[in-house]
Amino acid sequence: METSLNSTKSLIIKAALGIFAQKGFKGATVREICAAADQSVGAINYHFRDKQGLYEAVTQALLEELMLNTSPEPQNSSTMQPEARLHFLVTSFLKRFGMLFDGGDNGQRAIFMLREILNPSADFTRLFLSFQAWQKDYLLRIISDLTGCRPESPEVARSAISIIGQCFHFVFGRRLFGLLGMEASQAKEISKCAEHIVKFSLGGVKAVTGAKK
Amino acid sequence: METSLNSTKSLIIKAALGIFAQKGFKGATVREICAAADQSVGAINYHFRDKQGLYEAVTQALLEELMLNTSPEPQNSSTMQPEARLHFLVTSFLKRFGMLFDGGDNGQRAIFMLREILNPSADFTRLFLSFQAWQKDYLLRIISDLTGCRPESPEVARSAISIIGQCFHFVFGRRLFGLLGMEASQAKEISKCAEHIVKFSLGGVKAVTGAKK
DNA sequence: AATAAATTAAAACAAACGTTCAAAACTATT
DNA sequence: AATAGTTTTGAACGTTTGTTTTAATTTATT
C-alpha cells in the first residue's frame, strides 16, 4: 500500500480539507471533493468507507500534523522564572497554531480547526484535550507566581482568559479583524507577537493584582 | 399582517436560528425547522420565498436586535479621559455581544454569529461594518492618547489586537475554554469583566510602550 | 351572512446527494 | 507470460432535499 504524498488517499484528504473548511461537512459534496482531487467518486468508499470516514481521516491528519509541532512542558520548569515560563507558553501557542496558516493553503486548515472548535466532534475533543490540557494549570501557576495571588483566585482566572484570548486572537483573529477593518498581517512574525503578548500581559497581571514586584 | 411574537414568521425565525446555529445553512433542513416551529413546510415558501430568504431574515433579525444594544460614539468623547473612553468602549462591546447569551437559548444566537464571522454573508458583512466601524479609529486614538505613540505605530496596532482579543474572548470564548478545561462562568458579570479588561489593558499598553504616565 | 383575500396544510415533483456495484485497469507474484 | 490480488472507474440506485402546487382553512371586508 502506497502512502506517498501523491497517493490517492493523500490527494483526497488534501482536497477534502479545503472543501470541508469552506463549506462544512454537509455543505461539501463527495463529487466536489473527488473532482478537486481528480479521483472518481468510488474512491471514497474504497479508501474511507464513506463520507464520515473521510471526515475523520481529515481530522486525524490535521491533529497529527499539529502534534508534530507540540512541545511538552519543559523539564526545568520549576527552576524557570515565571516570566520565562510565560514566554515559553505564549511562543509554543503561537507556533503550534500559527503553523496552520503556512503551506500556501490560505489558512484553510485554520478555518477547519475553527469549525471543529465551534462544533467539536468526539475525536477532535479527545485529541485536542490530550495535548492541550497541561497548559491550563501551567498558566494559572505562572500568574500566581507573578502576582502572589492564589491560582484559584478570580483575578488569576480572569488574567488567564486575557492571556489566552490575546494568543488566540493573534492567530485566529483574521476573520474578525477583516470585519473590523484591522490588519492582522503582523501576526506572521511570531517572535515579535510573542514578545508583545508577554510584555503586555506582564503589565496587565500586575495592574489587576497590584503586585508589588 | 400580524407581526406579533407568536406569528408564524416569528416562530419560524426563532426555530431556524437555533437549527442554523447548530447545523449551519446546509445542515439544517426546512422540514426540521418547520417541525420545530410547529408549522407546515409550505410556510417557508409563503413567508420567505425559499430557504435562502429565511436565512437572510434570521440574519436580519439578529442584527436588528444587536442594533438596539448599540451605543454610538459618545458626544463628549473629546473631553473624556482616555481611561474613561476605554472603559466605555469595553463595556459597550461586552454589553452588545454578551446579550447574545441571554434569553435562555443557551447562546445559540452567539453561535450563529460566530458562524457568520467564519463565513460571512454579504448582508452580514455590510450590516456588521456599519455599526462597528467607528470603533477601530476610536480605539487606536485611545491607545495613542494613553501612551503618546502615534496611532499608526505597530505598538498601538498590536495593543489594539490585545484589547479586542480580550473582549472577544470574554464573550465568545466559551467553546474554547470548555476545550481547554477552563470556566467562563464569570463572563456573565459584565461590569466586573469590563473593569478587569480595562485595568489589565492599561497596565499592558504602558508596559509595551514604556509610557511614563 | 356572504364574499374575497390571505394564510395554512400536505401531497407531489424534480434535482442533488451519498452510496453501491460490477466491470475495467493496474500491480505484484509465480 | 499468466494469474491472483489490488485499485480505479463511472453508471445506477434509493433516499433526502428544496421547492412547487393545489386544496382547505382562516381572516378580513362589505
Side-chain angles (χ1 to χ4, degrees):
Chain A
M1 185 178 89
E2 195 189 5
T3 330
S4 88
L5 286 172
N6 286 346
S7 69
T8 303
K9 285 181 77 164
S10 303
L11 287 173
I12 293 180
I13 286 180
K14 196 179 295 183
L17 174 71
I19 296 179
F20 281 140
Q22 289 171 31
K23 313 194 172 183
F25 180 75
K26 278 273 186 180
T29 72
V30 296
R31 285 172 173 82
E32 186 181 14
I33 291 169
C34 291
D38 206 39
Q39 301 293 331
S40 63
V41 289
I44 284 182
N45 170 261
Y46 183 77
H47 288 286
F48 307 98
R49 196 183 58 189
D50 55 15
K51 190 185 181 185
Q52 181 65 38
L54 169 60
Y55 188 85
E56 285 163 13
V58 171
T59 305
Q60 190 83 18
L62 182 59
L63 284 167
E64 275 172 12
E65 187 190 8
L66 224 50
M67 292 281 202
L68 295 179
N69 279 43
T70 299
S71 351
E73 180 176 350
Q75 298 295 337
N76 56 338
S77 194
S78 51
T79 67
M80 286 169 71
Q81 293 287 84
E83 289 87 352
R85 276 180 280 155
L86 180 62
H87 191 275
F88 170 81
L89 183 78
V90 169
T91 301
S92 68
F93 190 107
L94 295 186
K95 266 193 205 160
R96 179 183 306 135
F97 293 113
M99 167 206 64
L100 294 175
F101 287 94
D102 302 337
D105 67 347
N106 206 26
Q108 287 176 331
R109 285 172 300 171
I111 295 177
F112 185 94
M113 187 133 199
L114 285 172
R115 278 191 186 275
E116 275 292 332
I117 289 175
L118 207 55
N119 280 95
S121 63
D123 280 2
F124 181 83
T125 304
R126 184 173 42 77
L127 285 163
F128 190 80
L129 269 180
S130 71
F131 80 102
Q132 194 72 12
W134 65 270
Q135 300 215 347
K136 177 198 171 187
D137 293 329
Y138 189 70
L139 176 57
L140 294 181
R141 178 64 189 275
I142 290 172
I143 301 170
S144 172
D145 289 350
L146 280 169
T147 63
C149 298
R150 290 173 35 251
E152 305 83 12
S153 65
E155 295 91 348
V156 171
R158 279 195 286 262
S159 294
I161 298 179
S162 285
I163 293 171
I164 295 288
Q166 288 179 76
C167 292
F168 192 82
H169 240 59
F170 266 87
V171 175
F172 290 106
R174 307 182 174 220
R175 274 286 191 291
L176 183 70
F177 294 148
L179 286 173
L180 290 173
M182 290 171 165
E183 295 172 14
S185 55
Q186 22 196 348
K188 283 177 184 171
E189 306 133 9
I190 287 181
S191 64
K192 207 161 247 172
C193 286
E195 195 187 340
H196 164 85
I197 293 174
V198 170
K199 281 174 81 175
F200 191 100
S201 299
L202 289 175
V205 294
K206 285 164 190 170
V208 293
T209 60
K212 312 293 172 293
K213 187 169 183 180
Chain B
M1 186 179 85
E2 195 189 5
T3 331
S4 88
L5 285 171
N6 285 347
S7 68
T8 303
K9 284 182 76 164
S10 303
L11 288 172
I12 294 180
I13 286 179
K14 196 179 293 183
L17 174 71
I19 295 178
F20 281 141
Q22 289 172 33
K23 313 193 171 183
F25 179 76
K26 278 274 187 180
T29 71
V30 297
R31 283 171 175 81
E32 186 181 15
I33 291 169
C34 290
D38 205 38
Q39 302 292 330
S40 62
V41 289
I44 283 183
N45 170 262
Y46 183 77
H47 288 286
F48 307 99
R49 196 184 60 192
D50 57 14
K51 189 185 182 184
Q52 180 66 38
L54 169 60
Y55 188 84
E56 285 163 14
V58 171
T59 305
Q60 189 84 18
L62 183 60
L63 285 166
E64 275 172 11
E65 188 190 9
L66 225 51
M67 290 283 201
L68 295 179
N69 280 43
T70 301
S71 353
E73 181 176 349
Q75 296 296 336
N76 57 336
S77 194
S78 52
T79 67
M80 286 168 71
Q81 293 286 87
E83 289 88 351
R85 276 179 281 154
L86 180 62
H87 191 275
F88 170 81
L89 184 78
V90 170
T91 301
S92 68
F93 190 107
L94 294 186
K95 267 193 203 161
R96 181 182 305 135
F97 293 114
M99 168 204 66
L100 294 175
F101 287 93
D102 302 336
D105 68 347
N106 207 25
Q108 287 177 331
R109 285 171 301 171
I111 296 176
F112 185 94
M113 188 132 201
L114 285 172
R115 279 190 185 276
E116 275 292 331
I117 289 174
L118 206 54
N119 281 94
S121 62
D123 279 5
F124 181 84
T125 305
R126 183 173 42 77
L127 285 163
F128 191 81
L129 269 180
S130 71
F131 80 102
Q132 194 73 11
W134 65 270
Q135 301 213 346
K136 176 197 171 189
D137 293 330
Y138 190 69
L139 176 57
L140 294 181
R141 178 63 189 276
I142 290 172
I143 301 170
S144 172
D145 289 350
L146 281 170
T147 63
C149 297
R150 289 171 37 252
E152 305 84 12
S153 65
E155 295 92 348
V156 171
R158 280 195 286 261
S159 295
I161 297 179
S162 285
I163 293 171
I164 294 288
Q166 288 180 76
C167 292
F168 191 83
H169 240 58
F170 266 87
V171 175
F172 290 105
R174 308 181 175 222
R175 274 287 193 288
L176 183 70
F177 294 147
L179 287 173
L180 290 173
M182 291 173 164
E183 295 174 13
S185 56
Q186 22 197 347
K188 283 178 184 171
E189 306 135 8
I190 287 181
S191 63
K192 207 159 247 171
C193 288
E195 197 187 338
H196 164 84
I197 294 174
V198 168
K199 281 173 82 174
F200 191 99
S201 300
L202 288 176
V205 293
K206 284 164 190 170
V208 293
T209 60
K212 313 293 173 292
K213 185 167 182 181

